[in-house]
Amino acid sequence: MSRQRAPYHHGDLRRSLVEGGLRLVEEIGVESMTLQKLAKHCGVSAPALYHHFRSKDDLLQELGTRSLALFEEALAPTLGTPDTGLSLPDFAVAYVTFALRHPELYELMFGRVTWIRATPPTPSAPLHARARQSFRAFGERMAEEQRRGRIPRSEDPLRLSQVVWATLHGLCRMHNDGLAFSKETITDIALHAAKLLQPLFDKPRRKPKVIA
């Protein structure tokens, strides 16, 4: 006997559609995702789905925003606190691990479909705003590291944040797009890059005063 899906309650239908959408997009990919496929996957009618998502772009924006929340959860333990400090090697590993384990979710967050080809491609779209907020939070932690004396005053915390993020993003895109590198190599390169930058996070030593 085939097992039937439990009926959705109206109050949690949107949540169920998002959870089902995340599972489906990991199975079939962002490009292949449609509202019709999601409705069939979740066992709901098309009108019920359209009540929550008017278009594929609306759906992808919501799925991308939820993916960012999962991404941030994975990174959070590595950011530390103002007292403990940030672990750059741990951050690098957590970043690439999420991207390589969930390539389609990473594509949702930072890929062409949800950024360049979104209609309209507005910077105020919920996903775009959430993605900028995610990077901003990382940049703020960098600035806090500097205020706590763990990064030299001569360094620009914004530029340092951009270097770290761009390096990790580039590595993940190269692997996920099939250009180069195995997962193990990507992780090793990310760790190597983090170790090169880690000395900047060591508390700067003051130069000894010269006594005339």
PDB file of all heavy atoms in Angstrom, residues 47-65:
ATOM      1  N   PRO A  47      -3.047  26.205  -7.413  1.00  0.00           N
ATOM      2  CA  PRO A  47      -3.611  27.429  -6.819  1.00  0.00           C
ATOM      3  C   PRO A  47      -3.153  27.656  -5.381  1.00  0.00           C
ATOM      4  O   PRO A  47      -2.906  28.798  -4.980  1.00  0.00           O
ATOM      5  CB  PRO A  47      -5.119  27.187  -6.889  1.00  0.00           C
ATOM      6  CG  PRO A  47      -5.293  26.272  -8.059  1.00  0.00           C
ATOM      7  CD  PRO A  47      -4.105  25.363  -7.993  1.00  0.00           C
ATOM      8  N   ALA A  48      -3.028  26.577  -4.611  1.00  0.00           N
ATOM      9  CA  ALA A  48      -2.576  26.721  -3.226  1.00  0.00           C
ATOM     10  C   ALA A  48      -1.143  27.234  -3.178  1.00  0.00           C
ATOM     11  O   ALA A  48      -0.789  28.064  -2.329  1.00  0.00           O
ATOM     12  CB  ALA A  48      -2.674  25.386  -2.504  1.00  0.00           C
ATOM     13  N   LEU A  49      -0.309  26.759  -4.096  1.00  0.00           N
ATOM     14  CA  LEU A  49       1.085  27.210  -4.138  1.00  0.00           C
ATOM     15  C   LEU A  49       1.173  28.661  -4.606  1.00  0.00           C
ATOM     16  O   LEU A  49       1.916  29.463  -4.035  1.00  0.00           O
ATOM     17  CB  LEU A  49       1.889  26.296  -5.057  1.00  0.00           C
ATOM     18  CG  LEU A  49       3.401  26.504  -5.067  1.00  0.00           C
ATOM     19  CD1 LEU A  49       4.114  25.180  -5.320  1.00  0.00           C
ATOM     20  CD2 LEU A  49       3.818  27.497  -6.143  1.00  0.00           C
ATOM     21  N   TYR A  50       0.378  29.012  -5.637  1.00  0.00           N
ATOM     22  CA  TYR A  50       0.420  30.380  -6.166  1.00  0.00           C
ATOM     23  C   TYR A  50      -0.068  31.402  -5.143  1.00  0.00           C
ATOM     24  O   TYR A  50       0.245  32.591  -5.254  1.00  0.00           O
ATOM     25  CB  TYR A  50      -0.409  30.486  -7.444  1.00  0.00           C
ATOM     26  CG  TYR A  50       0.243  29.862  -8.654  1.00  0.00           C
ATOM     27  CD1 TYR A  50      -0.381  28.860  -9.394  1.00  0.00           C
ATOM     28  CD2 TYR A  50       1.510  30.288  -9.069  1.00  0.00           C
ATOM     29  CE1 TYR A  50       0.210  28.291 -10.494  1.00  0.00           C
ATOM     30  CE2 TYR A  50       2.117  29.719 -10.176  1.00  0.00           C
ATOM     31  CZ  TYR A  50       1.471  28.723 -10.886  1.00  0.00           C
ATOM     32  OH  TYR A  50       2.080  28.159 -11.981  1.00  0.00           O
ATOM     33  N   HIS A  51      -0.815  30.947  -4.175  1.00  0.00           N
ATOM     34  CA  HIS A  51      -1.261  31.849  -3.114  1.00  0.00           C
ATOM     35  C   HIS A  51      -0.069  32.375  -2.321  1.00  0.00           C
ATOM     36  O   HIS A  51      -0.113  33.485  -1.774  1.00  0.00           O
ATOM     37  CB  HIS A  51      -2.226  31.117  -2.177  1.00  0.00           C
ATOM     38  CG  HIS A  51      -2.698  31.944  -1.023  1.00  0.00           C
ATOM     39  ND1 HIS A  51      -3.613  32.970  -1.152  1.00  0.00           N
ATOM     40  CD2 HIS A  51      -2.363  31.911   0.292  1.00  0.00           C
ATOM     41  CE1 HIS A  51      -3.821  33.532   0.022  1.00  0.00           C
ATOM     42  NE2 HIS A  51      -3.088  32.911   0.923  1.00  0.00           N
ATOM     43  N   HIS A  52       1.015  31.583  -2.261  1.00  0.00           N
ATOM     44  CA  HIS A  52       2.198  31.962  -1.490  1.00  0.00           C
ATOM     45  C   HIS A  52       3.332  32.478  -2.369  1.00  0.00           C
ATOM     46  O   HIS A  52       4.121  33.329  -1.940  1.00  0.00           O
ATOM     47  CB  HIS A  52       2.693  30.764  -0.674  1.00  0.00           C
ATOM     48  CG  HIS A  52       1.724  30.327   0.378  1.00  0.00           C
ATOM     49  ND1 HIS A  52       1.637  30.946   1.609  1.00  0.00           N
ATOM     50  CD2 HIS A  52       0.788  29.348   0.367  1.00  0.00           C
ATOM     51  CE1 HIS A  52       0.701  30.347   2.338  1.00  0.00           C
ATOM     52  NE2 HIS A  52       0.166  29.381   1.601  1.00  0.00           N
ATOM     53  N   PHE A  53       3.438  31.962  -3.603  1.00  0.00           N
ATOM     54  CA  PHE A  53       4.520  32.364  -4.504  1.00  0.00           C
ATOM     55  C   PHE A  53       3.934  32.653  -5.877  1.00  0.00           C
ATOM     56  O   PHE A  53       3.429  31.754  -6.539  1.00  0.00           O
ATOM     57  CB  PHE A  53       5.582  31.274  -4.590  1.00  0.00           C
ATOM     58  CG  PHE A  53       6.185  30.910  -3.262  1.00  0.00           C
ATOM     59  CD1 PHE A  53       5.851  29.711  -2.647  1.00  0.00           C
ATOM     60  CD2 PHE A  53       7.061  31.768  -2.616  1.00  0.00           C
ATOM     61  CE1 PHE A  53       6.393  29.381  -1.415  1.00  0.00           C
ATOM     62  CE2 PHE A  53       7.600  31.448  -1.384  1.00  0.00           C
ATOM     63  CZ  PHE A  53       7.262  30.246  -0.776  1.00  0.00           C
ATOM     64  N   ARG A  54       4.037  33.901  -6.303  1.00  0.00           N
ATOM     65  CA  ARG A  54       3.417  34.305  -7.562  1.00  0.00           C
ATOM     66  C   ARG A  54       4.228  33.888  -8.767  1.00  0.00           C
ATOM     67  O   ARG A  54       3.702  33.796  -9.878  1.00  0.00           O
ATOM     68  CB  ARG A  54       3.213  35.823  -7.568  1.00  0.00           C
ATOM     69  CG  ARG A  54       2.197  36.324  -6.557  1.00  0.00           C
ATOM     70  CD  ARG A  54       2.175  37.844  -6.535  1.00  0.00           C
ATOM     71  NE  ARG A  54       3.473  38.381  -6.120  1.00  0.00           N
ATOM     72  CZ  ARG A  54       3.766  39.677  -6.102  1.00  0.00           C
ATOM     73  NH1 ARG A  54       2.881  40.555  -6.512  1.00  0.00           N
ATOM     74  NH2 ARG A  54       4.963  40.083  -5.697  1.00  0.00           N
ATOM     75  N   SER A  55       5.537  33.663  -8.572  1.00  0.00           N
ATOM     76  CA  SER A  55       6.407  33.330  -9.702  1.00  0.00           C
ATOM     77  C   SER A  55       7.579  32.498  -9.204  1.00  0.00           C
ATOM     78  O   SER A  55       7.807  32.375  -7.993  1.00  0.00           O
ATOM     79  CB  SER A  55       6.925  34.601 -10.374  1.00  0.00           C
ATOM     80  OG  SER A  55       7.801  35.295  -9.489  1.00  0.00           O
ATOM     81  N   LYS A  56       8.324  31.967 -10.164  1.00  0.00           N
ATOM     82  CA  LYS A  56       9.530  31.223  -9.806  1.00  0.00           C
ATOM     83  C   LYS A  56      10.521  32.127  -9.100  1.00  0.00           C
ATOM     84  O   LYS A  56      11.194  31.700  -8.147  1.00  0.00           O
ATOM     85  CB  LYS A  56      10.167  30.618 -11.064  1.00  0.00           C
ATOM     86  CG  LYS A  56      11.470  29.874 -10.792  1.00  0.00           C
ATOM     87  CD  LYS A  56      12.045  29.254 -12.050  1.00  0.00           C
ATOM     88  CE  LYS A  56      13.394  28.590 -11.767  1.00  0.00           C
ATOM     89  NZ  LYS A  56      13.945  27.904 -12.973  1.00  0.00           N
ATOM     90  N   ASP A  57      10.627  33.372  -9.537  1.00  0.00           N
ATOM     91  CA  ASP A  57      11.553  34.305  -8.892  1.00  0.00           C
ATOM     92  C   ASP A  57      11.186  34.511  -7.426  1.00  0.00           C
ATOM     93  O   ASP A  57      12.064  34.558  -6.562  1.00  0.00           O
ATOM     94  CB  ASP A  57      11.565  35.643  -9.618  1.00  0.00           C
ATOM     95  CG  ASP A  57      12.297  35.570 -10.949  1.00  0.00           C
ATOM     96  OD1 ASP A  57      13.150  34.674 -11.099  1.00  0.00           O
ATOM     97  OD2 ASP A  57      12.010  36.394 -11.835  1.00  0.00           O
ATOM     98  N   ASP A  58       9.888  34.654  -7.140  1.00  0.00           N
ATOM     99  CA  ASP A  58       9.456  34.794  -5.744  1.00  0.00           C
ATOM    100  C   ASP A  58       9.882  33.583  -4.926  1.00  0.00           C
ATOM    101  O   ASP A  58      10.356  33.715  -3.796  1.00  0.00           O
ATOM    102  CB  ASP A  58       7.934  34.940  -5.674  1.00  0.00           C
ATOM    103  CG  ASP A  58       7.464  36.321  -6.082  1.00  0.00           C
ATOM    104  OD1 ASP A  58       8.310  37.233  -6.180  1.00  0.00           O
ATOM    105  OD2 ASP A  58       6.250  36.485  -6.307  1.00  0.00           O
ATOM    106  N   LEU A  59       9.694  32.405  -5.502  1.00  0.00           N
ATOM    107  CA  LEU A  59      10.058  31.175  -4.810  1.00  0.00           C
ATOM    108  C   LEU A  59      11.559  31.109  -4.560  1.00  0.00           C
ATOM    109  O   LEU A  59      12.000  30.805  -3.437  1.00  0.00           O
ATOM    110  CB  LEU A  59       9.616  29.966  -5.630  1.00  0.00           C
ATOM    111  CG  LEU A  59      10.088  28.595  -5.112  1.00  0.00           C
ATOM    112  CD1 LEU A  59       9.501  28.305  -3.736  1.00  0.00           C
ATOM    113  CD2 LEU A  59       9.710  27.501  -6.112  1.00  0.00           C
ATOM    114  N   LEU A  60      12.358  31.392  -5.592  1.00  0.00           N
ATOM    115  CA  LEU A  60      13.801  31.304  -5.445  1.00  0.00           C
ATOM    116  C   LEU A  60      14.331  32.330  -4.449  1.00  0.00           C
ATOM    117  O   LEU A  60      15.296  32.061  -3.721  1.00  0.00           O
ATOM    118  CB  LEU A  60      14.487  31.473  -6.804  1.00  0.00           C
ATOM    119  CG  LEU A  60      14.223  30.364  -7.824  1.00  0.00           C
ATOM    120  CD1 LEU A  60      15.029  30.615  -9.093  1.00  0.00           C
ATOM    121  CD2 LEU A  60      14.533  28.982  -7.256  1.00  0.00           C
ATOM    122  N   GLN A  61      13.723  33.513  -4.416  1.00  0.00           N
ATOM    123  CA  GLN A  61      14.119  34.511  -3.430  1.00  0.00           C
ATOM    124  C   GLN A  61      13.911  33.971  -2.009  1.00  0.00           C
ATOM    125  O   GLN A  61      14.766  34.124  -1.141  1.00  0.00           O
ATOM    126  CB  GLN A  61      13.313  35.795  -3.619  1.00  0.00           C
ATOM    127  CG  GLN A  61      13.711  36.628  -4.813  1.00  0.00           C
ATOM    128  CD  GLN A  61      14.974  37.445  -4.582  1.00  0.00           C
ATOM    129  OE1 GLN A  61      15.160  38.018  -3.522  1.00  0.00           O
ATOM    130  NE2 GLN A  61      15.843  37.474  -5.570  1.00  0.00           N
ATOM    131  N   GLU A  62      12.768  33.338  -1.802  1.00  0.00           N
ATOM    132  CA  GLU A  62      12.472  32.789  -0.469  1.00  0.00           C
ATOM    133  C   GLU A  62      13.408  31.634  -0.130  1.00  0.00           C
ATOM    134  O   GLU A  62      13.923  31.542   0.992  1.00  0.00           O
ATOM    135  CB  GLU A  62      11.023  32.312  -0.425  1.00  0.00           C
ATOM    136  CG  GLU A  62      10.582  31.745   0.912  1.00  0.00           C
ATOM    137  CD  GLU A  62      10.462  32.790   1.999  1.00  0.00           C
ATOM    138  OE1 GLU A  62      10.342  33.991   1.662  1.00  0.00           O
ATOM    139  OE2 GLU A  62      10.485  32.419   3.192  1.00  0.00           O
ATOM    140  N   LEU A  63      13.638  30.738  -1.078  1.00  0.00           N
ATOM    141  CA  LEU A  63      14.532  29.607  -0.838  1.00  0.00           C
ATOM    142  C   LEU A  63      15.962  30.084  -0.605  1.00  0.00           C
ATOM    143  O   LEU A  63      16.678  29.539   0.235  1.00  0.00           O
ATOM    144  CB  LEU A  63      14.486  28.636  -2.023  1.00  0.00           C
ATOM    145  CG  LEU A  63      13.154  27.935  -2.288  1.00  0.00           C
ATOM    146  CD1 LEU A  63      13.284  26.989  -3.476  1.00  0.00           C
ATOM    147  CD2 LEU A  63      12.670  27.175  -1.059  1.00  0.00           C
ATOM    148  N   GLY A  64      16.378  31.102  -1.358  1.00  0.00           N
ATOM    149  CA  GLY A  64      17.717  31.645  -1.176  1.00  0.00           C
ATOM    150  C   GLY A  64      17.883  32.292   0.190  1.00  0.00           C
ATOM    151  O   GLY A  64      18.921  32.150   0.837  1.00  0.00           O
ATOM    152  N   THR A  65      16.857  33.007   0.634  1.00  0.00           N
ATOM    153  CA  THR A  65      16.909  33.642   1.948  1.00  0.00           C
ATOM    154  C   THR A  65      17.002  32.600   3.052  1.00  0.00           C
ATOM    155  O   THR A  65      17.765  32.761   4.016  1.00  0.00           O
ATOM    156  CB  THR A  65      15.666  34.527   2.152  1.00  0.00           C
ATOM    157  OG1 THR A  65      15.625  35.525   1.128  1.00  0.00           O
ATOM    158  CG2 THR A  65      15.695  35.211   3.511  1.00  0.00           C
TER     159      THR A  65
END
